[in-house]
Amino acid sequence: MIEQKAKTILVTGGAGFLGSHLAERLASVGHDVYCLDNLHTGSRENLFGFTGTGKIHLVEHDIVKPLPELPKFDEIYNLACPASPVHYQEDPVATLRVCSEGVWNVLARAAHDRADVFHTSTSEVYGDPLVHPQREGYHGNVNTVGPRSCYDEGKRFAETMLTDFCRMHDLRLRMVRIFNTYGPRMHPQDGRVVSNFIMQALRNEPITINGDGSQTRSFCYVDDMIEGFQMLMAGGDDARGPMNIGNPAEITVGELAELVVKMTGSRSPIVYLPLPKDDPLRRRPDITRAQKVLGWKPRTHLEQGLKATIAYFEGIIERDSWRVALDA
Ligand code: NAD
Ligand code: UDP
Protein backbone atom coordinates (compact mmCIF):
# COMPACT_ATOMS: atom_id res chain seq x y z
CA MET A 1 0.00 0.00 0.00
CA ILE A 2 1.09 3.51 -0.89
CA GLU A 3 -0.87 5.36 1.82
CA GLN A 4 1.07 7.31 4.47
CA LYS A 5 -1.32 9.48 6.53
CA ALA A 6 -4.40 8.09 8.32
CA LYS A 7 -7.54 9.43 6.65
CA THR A 8 -11.20 9.63 7.59
CA ILE A 9 -13.11 7.77 4.89
CA LEU A 10 -16.79 7.21 4.11
CA VAL A 11 -17.84 3.98 2.37
CA THR A 12 -21.53 4.04 1.45
CA GLY A 13 -22.82 0.48 1.09
CA GLY A 14 -19.99 -0.48 3.43
CA ALA A 15 -21.86 -3.40 5.03
CA GLY A 16 -22.34 -5.07 1.65
CA PHE A 17 -20.23 -7.57 -0.26
CA LEU A 18 -17.70 -5.26 -1.94
CA GLY A 19 -18.10 -2.45 0.60
CA SER A 20 -17.11 -4.59 3.58
CA HIS A 21 -13.99 -5.89 1.80
CA LEU A 22 -13.06 -2.34 0.85
CA ALA A 23 -13.65 -1.04 4.39
CA GLU A 24 -11.45 -3.77 5.83
CA ARG A 25 -8.70 -3.09 3.34
CA LEU A 26 -8.77 0.65 4.14
CA ALA A 27 -8.93 0.15 7.90
CA SER A 28 -6.17 -2.45 7.85
CA VAL A 29 -3.68 0.29 6.91
CA GLY A 30 -4.86 2.57 9.72
CA HIS A 31 -7.66 4.65 8.18
CA ASP A 32 -10.79 5.54 10.13
CA VAL A 33 -13.66 4.12 8.06
CA TYR A 34 -17.37 4.98 8.33
CA CYS A 35 -19.63 2.42 6.63
CA LEU A 36 -22.96 4.06 5.89
CA ASP A 37 -25.56 1.46 4.94
CA ASN A 38 -29.32 0.92 5.20
CA LEU A 39 -28.71 -2.86 5.53
CA HIS A 40 -31.03 -3.59 2.59
CA THR A 41 -28.71 -6.31 1.29
CA GLY A 42 -25.71 -5.72 3.55
CA SER A 43 -25.32 -7.05 7.07
CA ARG A 44 -23.57 -6.23 10.33
CA GLU A 45 -22.03 -9.69 10.21
CA ASN A 46 -19.94 -8.65 7.17
CA LEU A 47 -18.07 -6.24 9.43
CA PHE A 48 -17.61 -8.57 12.42
CA GLY A 49 -14.22 -9.81 13.41
CA PHE A 50 -12.13 -6.99 11.94
CA THR A 51 -8.85 -6.85 13.84
CA GLY A 52 -6.73 -4.33 11.90
CA THR A 53 -5.14 -1.16 13.19
CA GLY A 54 -7.76 1.35 11.95
CA LYS A 55 -11.39 1.59 13.01
CA ILE A 56 -14.62 0.63 11.25
CA HIS A 57 -17.85 2.35 12.31
CA LEU A 58 -21.26 1.28 11.01
CA VAL A 59 -23.83 4.08 10.50
CA GLU A 60 -27.31 2.85 9.61
CA HIS A 61 -28.70 5.31 7.07
CA ASP A 62 -30.35 5.50 3.64
CA ILE A 63 -28.40 7.68 1.18
CA VAL A 64 -31.65 8.86 -0.39
CA LYS A 65 -31.97 11.01 2.75
CA PRO A 66 -29.45 13.80 3.40
CA LEU A 67 -26.42 12.32 5.12
CA PRO A 68 -26.22 12.61 8.93
CA GLU A 69 -23.61 14.68 10.73
CA LEU A 70 -20.33 12.83 10.70
CA PRO A 71 -16.65 13.79 10.86
CA LYS A 72 -15.14 15.60 7.88
CA PHE A 73 -14.17 13.07 5.22
CA ASP A 74 -10.97 13.01 3.17
CA GLU A 75 -12.37 10.41 0.78
CA ILE A 76 -15.84 9.12 -0.08
CA TYR A 77 -16.42 5.78 -1.81
CA ASN A 78 -19.99 5.44 -3.09
CA LEU A 79 -21.07 1.80 -3.29
CA ALA A 80 -24.61 2.00 -1.89
CA CYS A 81 -27.09 0.57 -4.41
CA PRO A 82 -29.02 -2.67 -4.79
CA ALA A 83 -26.71 -4.62 -7.10
CA SER A 84 -28.31 -7.90 -8.16
CA PRO A 85 -31.14 -8.01 -10.73
CA VAL A 86 -33.44 -9.57 -8.10
CA HIS A 87 -32.85 -6.73 -5.65
CA TYR A 88 -32.75 -3.77 -8.01
CA GLN A 89 -35.96 -4.90 -9.77
CA GLU A 90 -37.84 -5.38 -6.48
CA ASP A 91 -38.56 -1.63 -6.31
CA PRO A 92 -37.25 -0.04 -9.52
CA VAL A 93 -38.20 3.49 -8.50
CA ALA A 94 -36.24 3.11 -5.26
CA THR A 95 -33.24 1.97 -7.34
CA LEU A 96 -33.53 5.06 -9.55
CA ARG A 97 -33.72 7.26 -6.46
CA VAL A 98 -30.54 5.70 -4.99
CA CYS A 99 -28.74 6.43 -8.29
CA SER A 100 -30.00 10.02 -8.48
CA GLU A 101 -31.05 11.53 -5.13
CA GLY A 102 -28.65 9.22 -3.27
CA VAL A 103 -25.72 10.20 -5.47
CA TRP A 104 -26.72 13.84 -5.07
CA ASN A 105 -26.59 13.55 -1.27
CA VAL A 106 -23.18 11.91 -1.43
CA LEU A 107 -21.91 14.65 -3.75
CA ALA A 108 -23.27 17.39 -1.52
CA ARG A 109 -21.23 15.95 1.37
CA ALA A 110 -18.15 15.60 -0.83
CA ALA A 111 -18.41 19.27 -1.88
CA HIS A 112 -18.90 20.35 1.75
CA ASP A 113 -15.90 18.33 2.96
CA ARG A 114 -13.77 18.85 -0.20
CA ALA A 115 -13.43 15.05 -0.24
CA ASP A 116 -12.08 12.93 -3.10
CA VAL A 117 -14.86 10.84 -4.66
CA PHE A 118 -14.84 7.23 -5.85
CA HIS A 119 -17.95 5.80 -7.49
CA THR A 120 -18.90 2.24 -8.39
CA SER A 121 -20.50 2.10 -11.79
CA THR A 122 -21.09 -1.08 -13.73
CA SER A 123 -20.65 -3.02 -16.96
CA GLU A 124 -24.46 -2.74 -17.17
CA VAL A 125 -23.95 0.74 -18.68
CA TYR A 126 -23.06 -1.20 -21.86
CA GLY A 127 -26.45 -2.99 -21.74
CA ASP A 128 -26.69 -5.94 -24.16
CA PRO A 129 -23.49 -4.93 -25.95
CA LEU A 130 -23.08 -4.84 -29.72
CA VAL A 131 -19.31 -4.41 -29.32
CA HIS A 132 -17.23 -7.20 -27.80
CA PRO A 133 -15.21 -7.04 -25.60
CA GLN A 134 -16.47 -3.80 -24.05
CA ARG A 135 -14.05 -0.89 -23.90
CA GLU A 136 -14.73 2.37 -22.07
CA GLY A 137 -15.36 4.33 -25.31
CA TYR A 138 -18.31 2.11 -26.27
CA HIS A 139 -21.54 3.91 -25.39
CA GLY A 140 -23.70 0.84 -24.97
CA ASN A 141 -26.97 -0.68 -26.09
CA VAL A 142 -29.44 -0.07 -23.29
CA ASN A 143 -33.23 -0.34 -23.26
CA THR A 144 -34.62 2.73 -21.45
CA VAL A 145 -37.90 1.05 -20.45
CA GLY A 146 -37.05 -2.63 -19.80
CA PRO A 147 -36.88 -4.55 -16.51
CA ARG A 148 -33.15 -3.78 -16.10
CA SER A 149 -33.42 -0.09 -17.05
CA CYS A 150 -33.82 1.22 -13.50
CA TYR A 151 -30.30 -0.01 -12.74
CA ASP A 152 -28.64 0.44 -16.14
CA GLU A 153 -30.03 3.92 -16.78
CA GLY A 154 -29.71 4.85 -13.11
CA LYS A 155 -26.00 4.05 -13.21
CA ARG A 156 -25.62 5.89 -16.52
CA PHE A 157 -27.32 8.97 -15.06
CA ALA A 158 -25.07 8.72 -11.99
CA GLU A 159 -21.93 8.73 -14.15
CA THR A 160 -23.10 11.93 -15.85
CA MET A 161 -24.13 13.61 -12.60
CA LEU A 162 -20.83 12.73 -10.90
CA THR A 163 -18.76 13.89 -13.86
CA ASP A 164 -20.51 17.24 -14.22
CA PHE A 165 -20.79 17.92 -10.50
CA CYS A 166 -17.15 17.14 -9.76
CA ARG A 167 -16.02 19.21 -12.74
CA MET A 168 -18.13 22.19 -11.60
CA HIS A 169 -16.99 21.88 -7.98
CA ASP A 170 -13.39 20.99 -8.78
CA LEU A 171 -13.53 17.68 -6.89
CA ARG A 172 -11.25 14.73 -7.65
CA LEU A 173 -13.35 11.87 -9.08
CA ARG A 174 -12.55 8.27 -9.94
CA MET A 175 -15.21 5.92 -11.37
CA VAL A 176 -14.96 2.17 -11.82
CA ARG A 177 -17.13 0.11 -14.17
CA ILE A 178 -17.26 -3.20 -12.33
CA PHE A 179 -17.71 -6.44 -14.29
CA ASN A 180 -19.33 -9.42 -12.50
CA THR A 181 -17.47 -9.86 -9.23
CA TYR A 182 -17.83 -12.76 -6.81
CA GLY A 183 -16.37 -14.00 -3.54
CA PRO A 184 -17.02 -14.51 0.16
CA ARG A 185 -19.77 -12.28 1.66
CA MET A 186 -21.97 -12.29 -1.42
CA HIS A 187 -25.56 -12.38 -0.23
CA PRO A 188 -26.63 -16.06 -0.40
CA GLN A 189 -30.07 -15.13 -1.71
CA ASP A 190 -29.42 -12.23 -4.01
CA GLY A 191 -30.04 -14.34 -7.10
CA ARG A 192 -26.68 -13.67 -8.72
CA VAL A 193 -25.39 -16.58 -10.71
CA VAL A 194 -22.30 -17.50 -8.66
CA SER A 195 -24.07 -17.42 -5.28
CA ASN A 196 -27.15 -19.18 -6.70
CA PHE A 197 -25.21 -22.01 -8.33
CA ILE A 198 -23.01 -22.61 -5.27
CA MET A 199 -25.93 -22.59 -2.81
CA GLN A 200 -27.95 -24.89 -5.09
CA ALA A 201 -25.01 -27.25 -5.56
CA LEU A 202 -24.19 -27.45 -1.85
CA ARG A 203 -27.81 -28.32 -1.09
CA ASN A 204 -28.06 -30.78 -4.01
CA GLU A 205 -30.95 -28.70 -5.35
CA PRO A 206 -31.53 -28.16 -9.09
CA ILE A 207 -29.06 -25.74 -10.69
CA THR A 208 -31.19 -23.13 -12.48
CA ILE A 209 -29.72 -22.09 -15.84
CA ASN A 210 -31.57 -19.22 -17.50
CA GLY A 211 -31.89 -19.77 -21.24
CA ASP A 212 -29.70 -22.44 -22.85
CA GLY A 213 -26.65 -21.40 -20.81
CA SER A 214 -24.71 -20.10 -23.83
CA GLN A 215 -24.71 -16.49 -22.58
CA THR A 216 -21.32 -15.42 -21.25
CA ARG A 217 -19.94 -13.47 -18.33
CA SER A 218 -16.37 -12.80 -17.14
CA PHE A 219 -15.96 -13.27 -13.40
CA CYS A 220 -13.54 -11.29 -11.24
CA TYR A 221 -12.55 -12.35 -7.74
CA VAL A 222 -13.24 -9.79 -5.00
CA ASP A 223 -9.59 -9.38 -3.88
CA ASP A 224 -8.53 -8.40 -7.40
CA MET A 225 -11.44 -5.97 -7.68
CA ILE A 226 -10.61 -4.23 -4.38
CA GLU A 227 -6.97 -3.94 -5.41
CA GLY A 228 -8.22 -2.31 -8.63
CA PHE A 229 -10.33 0.16 -6.60
CA GLN A 230 -7.30 1.20 -4.57
CA MET A 231 -5.03 1.58 -7.58
CA LEU A 232 -7.69 3.59 -9.40
CA MET A 233 -8.26 5.90 -6.42
CA ALA A 234 -4.50 6.47 -6.21
CA GLY A 235 -4.22 6.98 -9.99
CA GLY A 236 -3.10 10.25 -11.60
CA ASP A 237 -4.91 12.50 -14.08
CA ASP A 238 -4.85 9.83 -16.80
CA ALA A 239 -7.07 7.69 -14.52
CA ARG A 240 -9.92 10.20 -14.91
CA GLY A 241 -13.14 9.02 -16.53
CA PRO A 242 -14.88 5.67 -16.10
CA MET A 243 -12.51 2.70 -16.04
CA ASN A 244 -13.30 -0.98 -16.60
CA ILE A 245 -12.09 -3.31 -13.88
CA GLY A 246 -12.84 -6.98 -14.35
CA ASN A 247 -11.41 -10.31 -15.37
CA PRO A 248 -11.42 -10.84 -19.15
CA ALA A 249 -11.60 -14.66 -18.80
CA GLU A 250 -15.00 -15.29 -20.41
CA ILE A 251 -17.10 -18.36 -19.66
CA THR A 252 -20.63 -19.46 -20.55
CA VAL A 253 -23.19 -19.78 -17.79
CA GLY A 254 -23.53 -23.48 -18.72
CA GLU A 255 -19.78 -24.01 -18.23
CA LEU A 256 -19.94 -22.22 -14.88
CA ALA A 257 -22.73 -24.58 -13.75
CA GLU A 258 -20.63 -27.63 -14.70
CA LEU A 259 -17.58 -26.25 -12.91
CA VAL A 260 -19.51 -25.55 -9.70
CA VAL A 261 -21.08 -29.03 -9.76
CA LYS A 262 -17.64 -30.60 -10.25
CA MET A 263 -15.94 -28.53 -7.54
CA THR A 264 -18.66 -29.16 -4.94
CA GLY A 265 -19.11 -32.85 -5.83
CA SER A 266 -22.83 -32.08 -6.02
CA ARG A 267 -25.64 -34.41 -7.11
CA SER A 268 -27.68 -31.43 -8.38
CA PRO A 269 -29.51 -31.87 -11.67
CA ILE A 270 -29.43 -28.97 -14.14
CA VAL A 271 -32.75 -27.34 -15.08
CA TYR A 272 -33.33 -24.75 -17.79
CA LEU A 273 -35.56 -21.70 -17.19
CA PRO A 274 -36.56 -18.95 -19.63
CA LEU A 275 -33.93 -16.28 -20.26
CA PRO A 276 -35.11 -13.03 -18.61
CA LYS A 277 -35.87 -10.09 -20.94
CA ASP A 278 -32.85 -7.95 -21.87
CA ASP A 279 -30.41 -10.40 -20.22
CA PRO A 280 -27.08 -9.54 -21.93
CA LEU A 281 -25.85 -12.38 -24.16
CA ARG A 282 -22.12 -11.62 -23.95
CA ARG A 283 -19.97 -9.67 -21.54
CA ARG A 284 -16.20 -9.32 -21.28
CA PRO A 285 -14.19 -6.31 -20.19
CA ASP A 286 -11.49 -4.78 -22.33
CA ILE A 287 -9.02 -3.86 -19.56
CA THR A 288 -6.34 -2.31 -21.77
CA ARG A 289 -6.82 1.05 -20.05
CA ALA A 290 -6.52 -0.33 -16.50
CA GLN A 291 -3.41 -2.25 -17.51
CA LYS A 292 -1.76 0.77 -19.17
CA VAL A 293 -2.77 3.52 -16.76
CA LEU A 294 -2.73 1.64 -13.44
CA GLY A 295 -0.63 -1.42 -14.19
CA TRP A 296 -3.58 -3.46 -12.84
CA LYS A 297 -4.62 -6.90 -13.95
CA PRO A 298 -6.52 -9.70 -12.18
CA ARG A 299 -4.45 -12.44 -10.56
CA THR A 300 -7.01 -14.96 -9.31
CA HIS A 301 -8.09 -17.83 -11.55
CA LEU A 302 -11.76 -18.75 -11.50
CA GLU A 303 -11.20 -22.15 -9.84
CA GLN A 304 -9.05 -20.57 -7.12
CA GLY A 305 -11.68 -17.87 -6.40
CA LEU A 306 -14.54 -20.35 -6.52
CA LYS A 307 -12.74 -22.56 -3.98
CA ALA A 308 -12.70 -19.71 -1.43
CA THR A 309 -16.29 -18.75 -2.25
CA ILE A 310 -17.57 -22.31 -1.91
CA ALA A 311 -15.83 -22.56 1.49
CA TYR A 312 -17.60 -19.36 2.57
CA PHE A 313 -21.05 -20.65 1.55
CA GLU A 314 -20.36 -24.00 3.24
CA GLY A 315 -19.79 -21.99 6.43
CA ILE A 316 -23.09 -20.13 5.98
CA ILE A 317 -25.01 -23.37 5.52
CA GLU A 318 -23.30 -24.92 8.55
CA ARG A 319 -24.09 -21.90 10.74
CA ASP A 320 -27.74 -22.01 9.65
CA SER A 321 -28.07 -25.67 10.60
CA TRP A 322 -26.31 -24.89 13.87
CA ARG A 323 -29.00 -22.22 14.55
CA VAL A 324 -31.77 -24.61 13.56
CA ALA A 325 -30.32 -27.20 15.94
CA LEU A 326 -30.27 -24.63 18.75
CA ASP A 327 -33.87 -23.57 18.09
CA ALA A 328 -35.12 -27.14 18.14
P1 NAD B 1 -24.29 -5.48 -2.16
O1 NAD B 1 -25.76 -5.60 -2.36
O2 NAD B 1 -23.63 -6.50 -1.32
O3 NAD B 1 -23.90 -4.06 -1.60
C1 NAD B 1 -24.68 -2.91 -1.72
C2 NAD B 1 -24.77 -2.28 -0.34
O4 NAD B 1 -25.48 -1.04 -0.42
C3 NAD B 1 -25.55 -3.15 0.65
O5 NAD B 1 -24.85 -3.24 1.86
C4 NAD B 1 -26.88 -2.41 0.82
O6 NAD B 1 -27.48 -2.66 2.07
C5 NAD B 1 -26.44 -0.98 0.62
N1 NAD B 1 -27.51 -0.08 0.17
C6 NAD B 1 -28.40 -0.28 -0.83
N2 NAD B 1 -29.21 0.78 -0.97
C7 NAD B 1 -28.80 1.68 -0.03
C8 NAD B 1 -29.26 2.98 0.35
N3 NAD B 1 -30.29 3.56 -0.27
N4 NAD B 1 -28.62 3.61 1.35
C9 NAD B 1 -27.59 3.03 2.00
N5 NAD B 1 -27.13 1.80 1.70
C10 NAD B 1 -27.72 1.14 0.69
O7 NAD B 1 -23.65 -5.46 -3.63
P2 NAD B 1 -22.15 -5.29 -4.10
O8 NAD B 1 -21.92 -6.34 -5.12
O9 NAD B 1 -21.24 -5.17 -2.94
O10 NAD B 1 -22.25 -3.90 -4.88
C11 NAD B 1 -21.61 -2.72 -4.42
C12 NAD B 1 -21.64 -1.69 -5.54
O11 NAD B 1 -20.92 -2.18 -6.68
C13 NAD B 1 -23.05 -1.35 -6.03
O12 NAD B 1 -23.14 0.03 -6.28
C14 NAD B 1 -23.17 -2.13 -7.33
O13 NAD B 1 -24.05 -1.50 -8.23
C15 NAD B 1 -21.74 -2.11 -7.83
N6 NAD B 1 -21.45 -3.24 -8.74
C16 NAD B 1 -21.24 -4.50 -8.25
C17 NAD B 1 -21.00 -5.54 -9.14
C18 NAD B 1 -20.71 -6.94 -8.67
O14 NAD B 1 -20.51 -7.82 -9.52
N7 NAD B 1 -20.62 -7.24 -7.40
C19 NAD B 1 -21.00 -5.31 -10.51
C20 NAD B 1 -21.25 -4.02 -10.96
C21 NAD B 1 -21.45 -2.98 -10.07
N1 UDP C 1 -28.34 -16.78 -14.22
C1 UDP C 1 -28.70 -18.11 -14.34
N2 UDP C 1 -29.19 -18.74 -13.24
C2 UDP C 1 -29.31 -18.13 -12.04
C3 UDP C 1 -28.93 -16.78 -11.92
C4 UDP C 1 -28.46 -16.13 -13.03
O1 UDP C 1 -28.59 -18.71 -15.42
O2 UDP C 1 -29.75 -18.80 -11.08
C5 UDP C 1 -27.81 -16.09 -15.41
C6 UDP C 1 -28.46 -14.74 -15.71
O3 UDP C 1 -29.65 -14.93 -16.47
C7 UDP C 1 -27.35 -14.07 -16.50
C8 UDP C 1 -26.06 -14.60 -15.84
O4 UDP C 1 -26.44 -15.80 -15.18
O5 UDP C 1 -27.37 -14.50 -17.85
C9 UDP C 1 -25.46 -13.63 -14.83
O6 UDP C 1 -26.49 -13.24 -13.93
P1 UDP C 1 -26.25 -12.33 -12.65
O7 UDP C 1 -27.59 -12.01 -12.09
O8 UDP C 1 -25.25 -12.95 -11.76
O9 UDP C 1 -25.55 -11.03 -13.22
P2 UDP C 1 -25.85 -10.05 -14.45
O10 UDP C 1 -26.93 -10.60 -15.30
O11 UDP C 1 -26.23 -8.79 -13.81
O12 UDP C 1 -24.56 -10.04 -15.16
Side-chain angles (χ1 to χ4, degrees):
M1 265 294 295
I2 328 115
E3 301 289 351
Q4 318 84 11
K5 176 179 155 285
K7 294 180 176 170
T8 306
I9 299 180
L10 176 65
V11 179
T12 76
F17 162 47
L18 295 177
S20 62
H21 284 278
L22 174 66
E24 277 197 354
R25 190 80 72 97
L26 293 168
S28 69
V29 291
H31 298 310
D32 205 5
V33 183
Y34 286 76
C35 294
L36 190 141
D37 201 298
N38 67 356
L39 303 181
H40 175 211
T41 52
S43 76
R44 284 192 173 78
E45 208 175 306
N46 283 340
L47 297 169
F48 282 172
F50 172 71
T51 53
T53 51
K55 288 199 190 93
I56 296 183
H57 317 259
L58 176 62
V59 181
E60 215 176 311
H61 185 82
D62 189 324
I63 61 160
V64 171
K65 297 181 190 141
L67 304 199
E69 254 188 59
L70 289 168
K72 181 177 181 300
F73 293 112
D74 301 300
E75 294 180 354
I76 298 182
Y77 290 75
N78 186 43
L79 281 77
C81 187
S84 79
V86 168
H87 284 128
Y88 68 65
Q89 289 172 17
E90 229 167 51
D91 184 343
V93 172
T95 302
L96 284 161
R97 292 186 66 185
V98 176
C99 295
S100 50
E101 293 165 70
V103 168
W104 163 252
N105 286 325
V106 169
L107 284 171
R109 179 55 54 93
H112 179 268
D113 291 357
R114 304 299 310 156
D116 289 349
V117 180
F118 184 97
H119 176 72
T120 50
S121 189
T122 169
S123 55
E124 293 276 333
V125 300
Y126 302 118
D128 192 2
L130 304 176
V131 168
H132 192 80
Q134 293 77 55
R135 55 184 160 72
E136 289 87 348
Y138 175 52
H139 294 163
N141 175 37
V142 180
N143 181 357
T144 58
V145 290
R148 299 173 85 99
S149 310
C150 60
Y151 184 72
D152 300 6
E153 290 294 353
K155 289 282 188 179
R156 286 167 70 95
F157 172 85
E159 283 195 7
T160 313
M161 163 89 121
L162 281 140
T163 303
D164 284 337
F165 187 99
C166 291
R167 194 187 296 126
M168 288 173 70
H169 292 263
D170 196 22
L171 293 173
R172 187 172 176 280
L173 169 68
R174 296 291 177 262
M175 285 194 289
V176 59
R177 287 184 181 154
I178 303 172
F179 282 68
N180 297 66
T181 302
Y182 69 98
R185 298 192 196 149
M186 289 185 89
H187 193 300
Q189 279 161 335
D190 76 1
R192 284 190 264 197
V193 69
V194 172
S195 43
N196 259 17
F197 284 1
I198 295 177
M199 288 297 285
Q200 291 164 342
L202 291 176
R203 293 169 155 172
N204 294 309
E205 289 168 357
I207 305 269
T208 53
I209 292 185
N210 296 340
D212 62 6
S214 63
Q215 72 271 36
T216 68
R217 293 294 186 271
S218 307
F219 295 100
C220 184
Y221 188 61
V222 59
D223 289 356
D224 292 335
M225 181 58 58
I226 301 299
E227 188 180 33
F229 284 11
Q230 289 190 289
M231 291 172 81
L232 178 56
M233 188 55 148
D237 282 354
D238 50 356
R240 279 187 190 157
M243 192 176 294
N244 289 342
I245 300 278
N247 191 326
E250 190 178 356
I251 180 174
T252 68
V253 165
E255 287 164 344
L256 177 71
E258 281 170 21
L259 183 57
V260 169
V261 167
K262 187 179 104 193
M263 288 183 69
T264 50
S266 173
R267 297 187 306 278
S268 291
I270 290 188
V271 297
Y272 293 86
L273 303 177
L275 189 68
K277 183 167 164 28
D278 294 339
D279 198 295
L281 293 181
R282 296 188 78 182
R283 184 182 292 151
R284 172 154 68 98
D286 179 329
I287 58 163
T288 311
R289 211 173 147 237
Q291 278 178 303
K292 263 199 199 143
V293 172
L294 309 178
W296 177 88
K297 64 174 187 210
R299 288 186 285 201
T300 313
H301 288 287
L302 184 58
E303 290 208 20
Q304 197 185 341
L306 283 178
K307 200 171 160 207
T309 313
I310 290 167
Y312 171 77
F313 282 113
E314 278 170 343
I316 286 205
I317 289 173
E318 255 168 47
R319 279 200 300 281
D320 269 346
S321 51
W322 178 72
R323 265 189 224 124
V324 172
L326 258 191
D327 289 344

